[in-house]
Amino acid sequence: MGLLEQCEDLFKTSDLYKVLGVCKEASDAEIRRGYYKVSLLVHPDRAPDDDLATTKFQVLGKVFAVLADKDQRAVYDEQGILDEESDSLSQDRNWEEHWRRLFPKITQQDILDFEKQYKGSDEEVEDLKRLYLQHEGDMDLIMESALCCSHEDEPRVQDILHKAIDAEEVPAYKAFTQESVKKKNYRKRKADKECKEAEEMQKEMGLNSEDSLVAMIKQRQKSKENGFNSLISDLEAKYCKKPAGGRKGKKK
């Protein structure tokens, strides 16, 4: 089975750009960031219940290898075909090792610095509008996936989305505009529980108040929250080092 067929089978699309969640005009940095975000969702260590996680992870590595190679990407864009025999698509390649070279670990200070510059930025607004569309206004899913957001940020998030609706930048989904009080209260109880767990972890780790964000993130890691994966994926992709060189695929 070829790569395009594998993508269709595993990700319900044979469009390599859609697999990574980026547009055809995406820059190299956007391709790399998209690859990281999606690969984290299916990384074997983070998706232990998915029997196809390893296969999906390997396929994503190949998708990235094609789009990260200038020549292969050009051929794919023009003709919609791939060189399945290229070195970059080798079945024997260690994709985990390749992935870790692309995305080294970030530091706690990177996380704190990112939060300070991200909140209130145009990037945050665009991310929230994207999540709103993706989840069709479901605030539970939006708040779980939004970067650097706690329950205290919910009024601010809602205000951003209401402004986007008023400006007709996004549609007015009923799930958002007519959300029930019961659903809101459940989300608050869940957030309060997570906050308490984060405070307990903060004490256990001996962190000060400035490190509370780190405690929250580590608590989310422990509970496997989607928000943790989303935040870490964006941060590691943002601070990752572009690989030095790399082998070009052989042309037929």
Side-chain angles (χ1 to χ4, degrees):
M1 185 183 293
L3 179 57
L4 298 181
E5 293 174 305
Q6 287 181 302
C7 288
E8 181 68 43
D9 183 51
L10 296 170
F11 300 101
K12 309 307 178 186
T13 180
S14 60
D15 186 320
L16 301 189
Y17 294 100
K18 289 183 179 179
V19 170
L20 299 188
V22 299
C23 64
K24 187 175 181 179
E25 297 74 25
S27 65
D28 290 345
E30 289 170 335
I31 293 287
R32 190 165 62 251
R33 185 167 178 168
Y35 165 53
Y36 196 90
K37 283 185 176 182
V38 181
S39 65
L40 270 187
L41 297 177
V42 299
H43 192 291
D45 292 342
R46 300 197 183 196
D49 298 326
D50 188 349
D51 294 336
L52 295 174
T54 298
T55 302
K56 290 178 180 177
F57 184 75
Q58 293 171 344
V59 169
L60 282 174
K62 294 179 181 180
V63 170
F64 175 72
V66 171
L67 297 183
D69 184 289
K70 183 178 179 180
D71 294 334
Q72 290 193 72
R73 182 178 178 180
V75 171
Y76 173 71
D77 286 348
E78 293 172 8
Q79 304 178 41
I81 61 175
L82 307 175
D83 180 1
E84 300 282 356
E85 298 180 2
S86 68
D87 290 343
S88 60
L89 298 184
S90 170
Q91 294 288 344
D92 299 326
R93 191 169 189 175
N94 187 325
W95 293 106
E96 170 67 28
E97 183 179 302
H98 175 67
W99 184 76
R100 184 42 61 193
R101 283 201 303 269
L102 287 172
F103 307 108
K105 290 291 185 180
I106 60 170
T107 67
Q108 292 182 355
Q109 191 58 48
D110 288 334
I111 297 173
L112 298 171
D113 290 343
F114 180 83
E115 184 201 29
K116 291 178 182 178
Q117 62 87 25
Y118 180 76
K119 280 190 174 182
S121 67
D122 291 341
E123 182 181 5
E124 182 188 38
V125 172
E126 292 303 313
D127 283 347
L128 289 174
K129 288 192 292 186
R130 175 179 54 79
L131 290 173
Y132 175 83
L133 293 172
Q134 178 182 338
H135 300 304
E136 298 185 346
D138 188 324
M139 278 297 290
D140 287 349
L141 298 177
I142 293 170
M143 291 304 296
E144 283 183 359
S145 304
L147 303 184
C148 304
C149 276
S150 66
H151 186 70
E152 294 178 352
D153 293 294
E154 186 166 318
R156 184 176 63 83
V157 170
Q158 289 180 327
D159 183 58
I160 290 173
L161 295 176
H162 275 299
K163 288 180 178 178
I165 292 172
D166 292 341
E168 300 184 348
E169 296 172 345
V170 295
Y173 290 121
K174 288 185 178 180
F176 179 77
T177 60
Q178 300 179 24
E179 185 180 35
S180 68
V181 174
K182 181 179 179 181
K183 193 165 181 285
K184 292 179 180 178
N185 289 339
Y186 175 78
R187 188 164 58 248
K188 184 178 185 304
R189 289 195 299 272
K190 181 180 178 182
D192 289 342
K193 179 182 177 181
E194 291 176 358
C195 183
K196 183 177 180 180
E197 292 174 353
E199 289 176 353
E200 292 175 352
M201 181 167 287
Q202 181 179 345
K203 292 179 182 178
E204 292 175 4
M205 296 170 64
L207 300 175
N208 57 38
S209 58
E210 294 181 354
D211 292 328
S212 59
L213 174 65
V214 176
M216 179 192 72
I217 291 172
K218 288 186 177 295
Q219 183 276 326
R220 285 190 175 187
Q221 179 183 26
K222 183 179 179 181
S223 61
K224 295 181 170 33
E225 285 294 328
N226 289 336
F228 170 80
N229 285 341
S230 180
L231 173 58
I232 294 302
S233 68
D234 262 43
L235 286 173
E236 291 190 330
K238 187 177 184 69
Y239 289 98
C240 73
K241 299 175 183 177
K242 191 171 183 179
R247 291 181 295 180
K248 296 271 187 180
K250 294 182 294 185
K251 293 196 172 183
K252 291 182 178 179

